[in-house]
Amino acid sequence: MDNLDTYSIMVHGGAGDFGNLKSDKDRVRCLESIRSVLEHGRCILQSGGSALETVEQCTSLLEDDPVFNAGAGSVLNEAGKVEMDAAIMCGATLKAGAVAGITNIANPVQLARVVLAESDHVLLISAGAQRFADRWNFELMPDSYFLTPQRLAEWEQARPGQHGGSIGVDAETSASGGEEKYGTVGVVARDRLGSLAAATSTGGIANKSFGRVGDSPILGAGVYADNETCAVSCSGVGEDFMRTVLAKTLSDIIQFKALDGLAAAREGIDYLLRKVKGRGGFILIDNQGRCASAFTTKKMIHGWIELGGETVCQL
Amino acid sequence: MDNLDTYSIMVHGGAGDFGNLKSDKDRVRCLESIRSVLEHGRCILQSGGSALETVEQCTSLLEDDPVFNAGAGSVLNEAGKVEMDAAIMCGATLKAGAVAGITNIANPVQLARVVLAESDHVLLISAGAQRFADRWNFELMPDSYFLTPQRLAEWEQARPGQHGGSIGVDAETSASGGEEKYGTVGVVARDRLGSLAAATSTGGIANKSFGRVGDSPILGAGVYADNETCAVSCSGVGEDFMRTVLAKTLSDIIQFKALDGLAAAREGIDYLLRKVKGRGGFILIDNQGRCASAFTTKKMIHGWIELGGETVCQL
C-alpha cells in the first residue's frame, strides 16, 4: 500500500517587493487565503485525490480570490481589459494544457485542463482558445466580474506612470501596482501515489501591451512537471523566466546532475541570477515529496505542506 | 584576431516522412533551396556578420520560398487562413523575440527580431502582435500572397480526411499533406566572434484548429540559443517538443553534463523518444562551432557548413 504521508503541496501567490502590503491586515488577508487553499489541497490529497486534480482545484480557488492577479483578480491591460494565461501539466504523462490571451473565463486553469484532457494540442491562444471554451460550454462571465470599480480606478491611476514603455515589469514588481496586484498564482503537488503536477495562472502585467504573453502558460518557463524530477511553478518578471526556461532548467538539474529538490532550487536561483539577473521566484516539489522555494525578489507569498506535515505560510 | 574559419551555419526545412517527395525533381528543388540559403549565410558570416543577422536573413529566404511551410508557403488552418509563428534568439544576450498567430506578414522572423530589439517582451500574440507590426510599419501582404489557387486546392482536398480531430499531426507528418507542405524552417549559426543564434518559423499544421500554437515560437521548445552551450532549432510534431522542452534540454545537457554538441544530440534524441515517443528532429551548433543533427522521422531536410568547410545538404 501507499504511504499515507507521502503527499505534499505548495502554493504561491506571486513574487515581488509588495511595498503596497503595508498593513498587518493585508498581510493576514493574504496568508489566510494561502492557508485555506493549502488545507483544501490537503483534503483532496489525503482522501487519495490525484496531484493533477489538486493543482487544478487549488489554482481555481486562487483565481476566485480577487486578492491575487489571476482569474477574478486579474489586472487590466493597457486597453483596460483583462487578458489571462494559464497552464497545467501532469508529471506522470507529461501531458499539458495551456491557454493564453483569453477573456471572460472565470477559471483559466480549468480551460487549460480541458485542453490537456480533450485536445491533441498543448497551447491554444486568443480567439481559438475562446472558441474551444465555447465548444466545451465554459460560461462567459460578464466584464463586470473582472472590471470592478476599484480595478478600473487602479487602472486609471496607473496609466500615466506606465505610459510610453515601462511594460517589461510585472505588476507585482512595479511601484505603481495597486493594493491588490499581488502577483500570479501557482500550485504544485505530489499525491500519495507519487505523481507530480503543476499549474500556473495569471492576469499578466498591469497596463501590459495588448497581446504580451509571459512565462505562466509556457511549459518549461513558468510551469513544468515530470514524475522523474519535480513539479515547478514560477512567478516574477515573465521574460526572465522565458529567456532562461527556468522551470525546465530546474527539472534538468535534477535529471542530469542527480540533485535533490533543495540543491536544485539553490542551483536554479543562481542560474536565474547569473544568466539574466532574473527577478522572481518559484516553488518546487521533487520526486521524493520534498518542498523547496527560492526567490530573488524581497518576498514571495507562499506556503506548503511537506510529506503530510504541518501547514506553513510565508510572506 | 578572430579565426576566419570558426563560423558555422545549419539550416532545416522540416522533419517528416516526405512520402510526397517522390520525384527527383522535388528532391533537387528542396536541396537547391537549402544550398542557396547556406551559401547566403556563408557570405554574411565570412564578411563578419553576426549570427543573429545571419539567422534572420536566412530564415527570411526560407519564408520567401513557397516550397516550405513558413511565410509565403504556409499551410492553411481549418478556417482556410494562414496563421504563422516565429521566434529568434541571441545566444550572447539571451534576448529573444517571438510572435504567434499572426497573419499577412511576409516575414514573421523579421517581426520577431523587432520584438527582440525594440520591446521589453519576448512573446506577442494575435491582435497584439499585429498591432505591434503596424506600429513598426510592417507591410501587410494581401491574402492572395498566401492563398494561391494551388494552396486553396490542397486545403479543399485535405479537409474531409482531416475533419473531426486528427489535428495533432504536423503537415509534414500527415499522409494527406500536399506536395509543397515540407515543414517548418529553422536556422542556427555561429559567427566568427563565437556568438550563437537560432531562429524558427512555421505556418503550423495543415487544417489546424484555429489558435493552436506549436513549438516554433516557444523558447526552449522549438528554439534556443546560449553562447555557453549551443543554438538549436526543432521541427516535427510541435506538442512533443513542447512537452519535453527539447531545445532547452539539449542546452542543459551541454551545460550540466559537460558534453559536446554531438554527444548532446545523441542523448537529446533518446530523451525525446523515451519521454514522449517524439516525432521530429533538430539541428544544433555547439559553442565550438560543431554541427549536429538528429531526427526520429524518416527524413529531415537540412544542410550545414561546419567551421567554414564545404556545404553539405541532406534529404
Side-chain angles (χ1 to χ4, degrees):
Chain A
M1 285 298 294
D2 48 330
N3 183 336
L4 294 182
D5 291 338
T6 58
Y7 71 85
S8 295
I9 177 170
M10 296 191 83
V11 169
H12 76 74
D17 293 342
F18 302 108
N20 49 351
L21 270 183
K22 291 186 201 92
S23 71
D24 282 348
K25 191 179 141 217
D26 290 337
R27 198 169 289 115
V28 168
R29 167 84 184 75
C30 261
L31 290 173
E32 270 174 0
S33 184
I34 295 287
R35 181 174 295 272
S36 142
V37 171
L38 283 168
E39 292 304 342
H40 186 84
R42 186 197 291 275
C43 287
I44 303 171
L45 291 165
Q46 239 172 6
S47 61
S50 74
L52 192 63
E53 184 63 25
T54 305
V55 300
E56 182 191 350
Q57 284 203 28
C58 290
T59 303
S60 295
L61 289 174
L62 293 163
E63 286 173 340
D64 293 342
D65 188 336
V67 79
F68 300 113
N69 175 19
S74 295
V75 296
L76 308 190
N77 69 15
E78 68 180 5
K81 290 187 172 273
V82 161
E83 272 189 320
M84 297 167 290
D85 312 324
I88 187 167
M89 182 161 190
C90 170
T93 61
L94 301 187
K95 281 195 168 186
V99 290
I102 61 166
T103 61
N104 301 90
I105 302 285
N107 293 108
V109 74
Q110 294 176 16
L111 184 57
R113 172 77 186 270
V114 179
V115 173
L116 180 156
E118 304 293 346
S119 88
D120 294 325
H121 298 313
V122 166
L123 176 58
L124 298 181
I125 65 172
S126 304
Q130 219 71 37
R131 209 179 58 170
F132 183 84
D134 288 348
R135 193 178 295 166
W136 288 92
N137 298 315
F138 273 75
E139 186 186 359
L140 284 189
M141 308 302 286
D143 285 350
S144 59
Y145 178 75
F146 304 95
L147 305 183
T148 59
Q150 187 182 348
R151 191 69 62 197
L152 284 164
E154 287 168 4
W155 175 70
E156 285 294 348
Q157 202 182 2
R159 275 181 86 186
Q162 293 270 359
H163 199 70
S166 65
I167 46 180
V169 180
D170 271 1
E172 62 260 41
T173 62
S174 160
S176 60
E179 279 296 308
E180 289 182 304
K181 305 190 195 98
Y182 302 159
T184 60
V185 305
V187 182
V188 294
R190 180 180 192 266
D191 60 34
R192 283 165 47 189
L193 298 176
S195 270
L196 299 169
T200 304
S201 181
T202 189
I205 295 175
N207 262 328
K208 72 181 172 188
S209 181
F210 188 63
R212 175 264 186 186
V213 173
D215 64 320
S216 300
I218 306 298
L219 298 197
V223 64
Y224 203 70
D226 179 349
N227 279 5
E228 290 186 7
T229 56
C230 61
V232 181
S233 172
C234 302
S235 176
V237 177
E239 282 72 12
D240 295 344
F241 290 82
M242 298 169 88
R243 291 165 60 205
T244 52
V245 199
L246 198 77
K248 184 56 159 67
T249 304
L250 288 159
S251 171
D252 285 344
I253 289 171
I254 294 175
Q255 183 101 53
F256 300 127
K257 300 191 74 168
L259 297 181
D260 68 11
L262 286 170
R266 277 192 296 270
E267 194 158 316
I269 205 78
D270 287 346
Y271 182 97
L272 178 70
L273 277 172
R274 182 172 71 83
K275 292 273 187 178
V276 299
K277 297 188 179 71
R279 296 150 288 176
F282 57 82
I283 53 174
L284 180 156
I285 295 179
D286 73 12
N287 53 4
Q288 301 302 309
R290 281 162 298 204
C291 294
S293 61
F295 44 98
T296 67
T297 41
K298 280 188 190 159
K299 292 175 180 173
M300 183 168 69
I301 306 175
H302 67 303
W304 63 88
I305 296 170
E306 187 175 51
L307 298 169
E310 63 179 326
T311 304
V312 184
C313 296
Q314 280 189 356
L315 168 54
Chain B
M1 282 300 292
D2 48 331
N3 182 336
L4 294 183
D5 292 339
T6 56
Y7 70 87
S8 295
I9 177 170
M10 297 191 82
V11 169
H12 77 75
D17 294 342
F18 302 108
N20 49 353
L21 271 184
K22 292 186 201 89
S23 71
D24 281 347
K25 191 178 143 220
D26 288 338
R27 198 169 288 112
V28 168
R29 169 80 183 77
C30 261
L31 291 173
E32 270 175 1
S33 184
I34 295 287
R35 181 173 296 273
S36 140
V37 171
L38 283 168
E39 292 304 343
H40 187 84
R42 188 196 289 276
C43 288
I44 303 171
L45 290 165
Q46 241 172 5
S47 62
S50 73
L52 192 63
E53 186 62 25
T54 304
V55 301
E56 181 190 352
Q57 284 204 28
C58 290
T59 303
S60 295
L61 289 174
L62 293 163
E63 287 173 339
D64 293 342
D65 188 336
V67 80
F68 300 113
N69 176 19
S74 295
V75 297
L76 308 190
N77 69 15
E78 65 180 9
K81 290 189 172 275
V82 161
E83 274 189 318
M84 298 167 291
D85 312 323
I88 188 167
M89 184 161 186
C90 170
T93 60
L94 301 188
K95 280 196 169 188
V99 290
I102 62 165
T103 63
N104 301 88
I105 302 286
N107 293 108
V109 73
Q110 293 176 16
L111 184 56
R113 172 78 188 270
V114 179
V115 173
L116 179 155
E118 304 293 345
S119 87
D120 294 326
H121 299 314
V122 166
L123 175 58
L124 298 182
I125 65 172
S126 303
Q130 219 69 37
R131 208 179 59 171
F132 183 83
D134 288 348
R135 193 179 297 166
W136 288 93
N137 298 316
F138 274 75
E139 186 186 358
L140 285 189
M141 308 303 286
D143 284 350
S144 60
Y145 178 75
F146 305 96
L147 305 183
T148 60
Q150 187 182 350
R151 191 70 60 197
L152 283 164
E154 288 167 3
W155 176 70
E156 286 291 349
Q157 201 182 5
R159 275 181 84 188
Q162 294 270 1
H163 198 70
S166 66
I167 45 179
V169 179
D170 269 2
E172 62 260 41
T173 64
S174 162
S176 60
E179 278 297 307
E180 289 182 306
K181 304 189 194 97
Y182 301 161
T184 60
V185 304
V187 182
V188 294
R190 180 182 192 267
D191 60 35
R192 282 165 48 191
L193 298 175
S195 270
L196 298 169
T200 303
S201 181
T202 189
I205 296 174
N207 261 328
K208 72 181 172 189
S209 180
F210 187 62
R212 176 266 188 184
V213 173
D215 62 320
S216 301
I218 306 297
L219 297 197
V223 63
Y224 204 71
D226 179 349
N227 277 6
E228 289 187 6
T229 58
C230 61
V232 181
S233 172
C234 303
S235 175
V237 177
E239 282 72 12
D240 296 345
F241 289 81
M242 297 168 89
R243 291 164 61 205
T244 52
V245 199
L246 198 78
K248 184 55 158 70
T249 304
L250 288 159
S251 171
D252 285 345
I253 289 171
I254 294 175
Q255 182 100 56
F256 300 127
K257 299 190 78 169
L259 297 181
D260 68 11
L262 286 170
R266 278 192 296 271
E267 193 158 317
I269 205 79
D270 288 346
Y271 182 98
L272 179 69
L273 277 172
R274 181 173 71 82
K275 292 273 186 177
V276 300
K277 296 188 178 70
R279 298 149 286 175
F282 58 82
I283 53 174
L284 180 156
I285 295 179
D286 74 11
N287 52 6
Q288 302 301 310
R290 283 163 296 205
C291 294
S293 62
F295 45 98
T296 67
T297 41
K298 280 187 190 160
K299 292 176 179 171
M300 182 168 70
I301 306 175
H302 66 302
W304 62 88
I305 297 169
E306 186 175 51
L307 298 170
E310 62 179 328
T311 304
V312 184
C313 296
Q314 279 190 356
L315 169 54

